[in-house]
Amino acid sequence: MKITILGSGTSTGVPMVGCHCQVCGSSDPRDKRTRASILVESSGQRILVDTSTDLRTQALREGIPQIDAVLLTHTHADHIHGIDDLRGFHFIHRRVIPCYASQDTIDQVRTNFSYIFEGLHSEGYWPLLEAFPVEAPFDLFGCRITPVPIMHGSFPATGYRFDNAAYLTDCSEIPERSMTLLQGLDLLIIDALRFSPHPNHFNIEGALKITEILKPRRTVLTHLTHEVHHSDGERLPQGVEFAYDGLSVAL
């Protein structure tokens, strides 16, 4: 299995529109962050986690030839509003892609983007996704996937465990019942927005506290704002690093 960080940035991306801070003006390519998403490759199949606002850019940058399944974490715009970019894959492969998420997420995305699931034949749009609500572990392309309920402020979201790797974006709290689902990880990719506190996201200190409890072999901090220079990673504990767009981890 291989996991690639398609986007390591927060909802505004980095550089942020109109900002001229040191990080937004950085010459380090690892400080250029598109909106948060990952690609999981298992048994030659590709699982996309979230259809970020920058999906087209990410797919072109990484040379993604096809998507075989989509998982959604929640319905905030930066994680969903690239969903129309799946049309390009459909033009080539003419396949309806299975989409997995919580029932609440499926319901809201179906309401906001009905044509993605139902098509709009009078306008030449064909269905792109078939919805599968999930709450319990399931198998996909030889990978055991476990939905992990998390809280994003007061908003419920879903993280995912892929065998011994986990992706927890947009979270400020992990319920105790979910912590039990995250034992024995080789890789933890976790929301760590910035150094200063935020009510709806773990900051770096909060993410490190979770890492100290779970003790994964490797931790990657993602969903980063323009408060964070990639070079600040030199200050992180051993085994912990900042994500950057294009980072791939083989497991």
Side-chain angles (χ1 to χ4, degrees), residues 4-10 32-39 52 54 58 61 167 169 222-224 243-246:
T4 300
I5 305 288
L6 297 180
S8 59
T10 188
K32 312 300 183 189
R33 302 174 180 128
T34 58
R35 269 60 75 92
S37 177
I38 63 169
L39 185 73
S52 91
D54 296 306
Q58 294 163 348
R61 186 192 69 219
Y167 181 61
T169 187
T222 195
H223 210 287
L224 304 171
Y244 60 87
D245 288 22

Side-chain angles (χ1 to χ4, degrees), residues 19-167:
C19 185
H20 302 286
C21 72
Q22 288 188 345
V23 176
C24 287
S26 170
S27 60
D28 187 339
R30 296 170 298 182
D31 285 329
K32 312 300 183 189
R33 302 174 180 128
T34 58
R35 269 60 75 92
S37 177
I38 63 169
L39 185 73
V40 180
E41 297 178 66
S42 178
S43 301
Q45 307 295 298
R46 294 168 177 85
I47 305 168
L48 176 68
V49 183
D50 286 342
T51 56
S52 91
T53 320
D54 296 306
L55 175 55
R56 177 180 175 274
T57 297
Q58 294 163 348
L60 290 172
R61 186 192 69 219
E62 299 299 325
I64 300 173
Q66 67 185 57
I67 298 296
D68 300 292
V70 172
L71 273 59
L72 301 177
T73 62
H74 65 298
T75 58
H76 286 171
D78 52 318
H79 293 261
I80 294 294
H81 282 197
I83 198 166
D84 191 72
D85 289 339
L86 294 171
R87 292 172 61 220
F89 295 109
H90 183 80
F91 291 153
I92 296 170
H93 301 295
R94 299 294 178 182
R95 292 187 296 113
V96 177
I97 303 170
C99 176
Y100 303 88
S102 71
Q103 184 68 65
D104 287 346
T105 295
I106 291 290
D107 290 345
Q108 187 169 343
V109 176
R110 189 189 291 276
T111 296
N112 294 344
F113 297 94
S114 60
Y115 74 95
I116 293 290
F117 297 92
E118 300 166 10
L120 187 61
H121 296 288
S122 63
E123 303 296 331
Y125 288 91
W126 297 92
L128 303 181
L129 297 177
E130 181 180 4
F132 293 93
V134 291
E135 295 181 359
F138 61 102
D139 294 313
L140 188 63
F141 311 136
C143 180
R144 185 69 166 174
I145 300 176
T146 303
V148 180
I150 54 179
M151 294 303 297
H152 178 24
S154 61
F155 188 85
T158 304
Y160 292 97
R161 177 170 181 156
F162 304 89
D163 291 338
N164 287 331
Y167 181 61

Side-chain angles (χ1 to χ4, degrees), residues 188-207:
L188 172 63
I189 306 171
I190 186 169
D191 182 10
L193 190 71
R194 61 193 192 191
F195 288 101
S196 57
H198 191 282
N200 300 325
H201 295 263
F202 285 131
N203 66 352
I204 290 168
E205 179 182 4

